[in-house]
Amino acid sequence: MKAIETLYWSLDPVRPDPQVLARAGKILRRGGLVAFPTETVYGLGASALDPRAVARIFEVKGRPQDNPLIVHVAGPGEVAGLVEGEVPPQASLLIKLFWPGPLTLVLPAAPHLPPQVTAGLPTVALRMPAHPVALGLIAAAGVPVAAPSANLSGRPSPTTAQHVLEDLGGRIEAVLDAGPAAIGLESTVLDLTGPVPLILRPGGITPEELAEVLGEVRLAPGAGGEPCALPRPRSPGMKYRHYAPRAPLLLVEGDPQRVAGRIAELARGYLARGKAVGILAYEETAPLYRLPEGRVSLVVAGSRDNPRAVAAALFGALRRLDALGVDVILAEGMEPRGVGLAVMNRLRRAAGENVEKV
Ligand code: AMP
Ligand code: MG
């Protein structure tokens, strides 16, 4: 891939400069790629109506072709033109309650959408982000914006513009920087095309919140991140190892005290073999580790009592452990409830097969 100059703009997150948004919007309209902040993670945007621009997203990320993209809109009024048939009443209700916000709805796709966006599926994923920069950019572009997370495929999603530049600097036209992402994990993906609403990916809107509105909602097999050997995952993104740091990550789940005990034991084993060890822990358990200074890096990702804070810190913590050059990451699991389910989904995906229950 030929290196290109990546323009960098720092913007006020609340009142972004309209002139910068206009310039970035023009880049999108002309087929360029612009990374931008959302409340979930940083996205890598292209015009959803431009097949060549969308194809470049897959190229620069190294993203598998069968993993579809989320189309971002600046308002609920844009939905009707992107779906086939009427907008279902359930979708309208969810849009009224949760948009703008971290909820992506999968609906039947309008036939004019390029197959690159939907990965050839008959459905499209739609979201209205709750970030003034994202909304201003989409409006300035004047087109719906297809955007996955702005990271190299498989790596932890970017929660800062620096993360984006680490992965994609020199490969994309521009980056808009508005500081760290507030939520820190990708949106909840909800499939409304079947008989029962199905959560394909847990995120900032919890199953509990959705059940309150919809009555019945199910978690797709594997959506908690647990390994599953489905012949045909509902959402192609579900089948890949994902969100992963460079170092292998071993996830230990169970009672917090026992988890910390097991991780300390594993850490001693790795240290004895001369390995540099990273530990991802929470505030409650961090003081339990009494390991030799220097060769163990302990990163604390917030409190178990506050899964939203853990979500916001998680991807940055994984990238920090990579930057410290550890050979292995030992990560504590947390209770998979509320936003904790989304955290555990990402940790289990990052761990791949390396999950231990104690
Ligand atoms: P990313 O853009 O990397 O945050 O991933 C987008 C997520 O949305 C992936 O898990 C996709 O598989 C999922 N997704 C996007 N479009 C669809 C669709 N039409 N049907 C099912 N899942 C989708
Ligand atoms: Mg992603």
Side-chain angles (χ1 to χ4, degrees):
M1 216 174 300
K2 215 176 93 219
I4 57 173
E5 188 196 348
T6 300
L7 296 168
Y8 170 91
W9 283 294
S10 177
L11 285 165
D12 184 305
V14 182
R15 275 190 208 79
D17 181 345
Q19 284 187 351
V20 171
L21 294 177
R23 281 185 69 186
K26 197 162 163 188
I27 294 175
L28 285 177
R29 204 162 49 245
R30 291 186 173 170
L33 302 185
V34 178
F36 61 97
T38 79
E39 80 281 26
T40 59
V41 299
Y42 274 69
L44 176 61
S47 164
L49 306 180
D50 182 338
R52 290 219 340 242
V54 173
R56 265 190 71 216
I57 287 184
F58 287 86
E59 193 187 327
V60 304
K61 284 194 57 149
R63 183 175 174 101
Q65 297 285 343
D66 63 351
N67 195 0
L69 305 177
I70 295 170
V71 176
H72 293 72
V73 297
E78 290 172 46
V79 171
L82 296 169
V83 304
E84 167 119 291
E86 298 276 299
V87 180
Q90 264 181 341
S92 302
L93 178 63
L94 292 168
I95 287 170
K96 201 175 282 168
L97 292 172
F98 294 112
W99 279 16
L103 179 65
T104 295
L105 300 177
V106 174
L107 293 165
H112 72 271
L113 281 171
Q116 287 83 354
V117 171
T118 58
L121 293 169
T123 54
V124 62
L126 299 173
R127 181 168 103 84
M128 177 186 177
H131 196 297
V133 173
L135 292 172
L137 175 68
I138 301 164
V143 287
V145 174
S149 49
N151 52 285
L152 291 173
S153 199
R155 300 259 302 135
S157 298
T159 53
T160 67
Q162 283 63 43
H163 296 161
V164 176
L165 288 168
E166 261 170 49
D167 280 16
L168 301 176
R171 297 182 184 216
I172 63 178
E173 275 71 23
V175 179
L176 305 182
D177 184 353
I183 294 178
L185 297 180
E186 303 82 351
S187 59
T188 302
V189 179
L190 184 71
D191 184 354
L192 290 177
T193 63
V196 176
L198 200 58
I199 296 173
L200 303 179
R201 175 176 74 186
I205 302 292
T206 63
E208 294 85 348
E209 286 173 282
L210 292 172
E212 213 167 290
V213 176
L214 297 170
E216 193 178 7
V217 56
R218 286 196 199 135
L219 264 185
E226 67 281 8
C228 76
L230 273 191
R232 222 155 38 93
R234 283 295 280 271
S235 184
M238 292 164 74
K239 74 186 184 200
Y240 304 105
R241 182 173 183 240
H242 236 90
Y243 317 116
R246 291 199 179 83
L249 182 145
L250 178 70
L251 176 64
V252 184
E253 299 182 17
D255 166 76
Q257 303 272 332
R258 298 234 302 268
V259 165
R262 176 62 181 147
I263 287 182
E265 183 183 314
L266 287 166
R268 280 188 207 96
Y270 282 109
L271 290 172
R273 280 174 274 148
K275 304 282 186 200
V277 176
I279 296 177
L280 182 76
Y282 308 110
E283 281 166 18
E284 293 79 1
T285 27
L288 302 178
Y289 293 97
R290 293 210 172 69
L291 292 160
E293 298 265 328
R295 285 155 65 223
V296 181
S297 308
L298 185 72
V299 171
V300 182
S303 159
R304 286 173 182 276
D305 289 341
N306 187 356
R308 286 188 189 274
V310 174
L314 181 68
F315 285 139
L318 293 179
R319 282 182 180 259
R320 197 163 337 122
L321 285 164
D322 262 345
L324 289 166
V326 300
D327 298 307
V328 62
I329 296 172
L330 306 172
E332 295 185 358
M334 72 182 308
E335 181 95 35
R337 241 192 298 136
V339 173
L341 177 72
V343 170
M344 285 306 286
N345 164 284
R346 306 312 187 271
L347 280 173
R348 287 166 174 164
R349 285 291 157 78
E353 309 280 286
N354 299 326
V355 180
E356 210 183 289
K357 294 204 164 71
V358 293

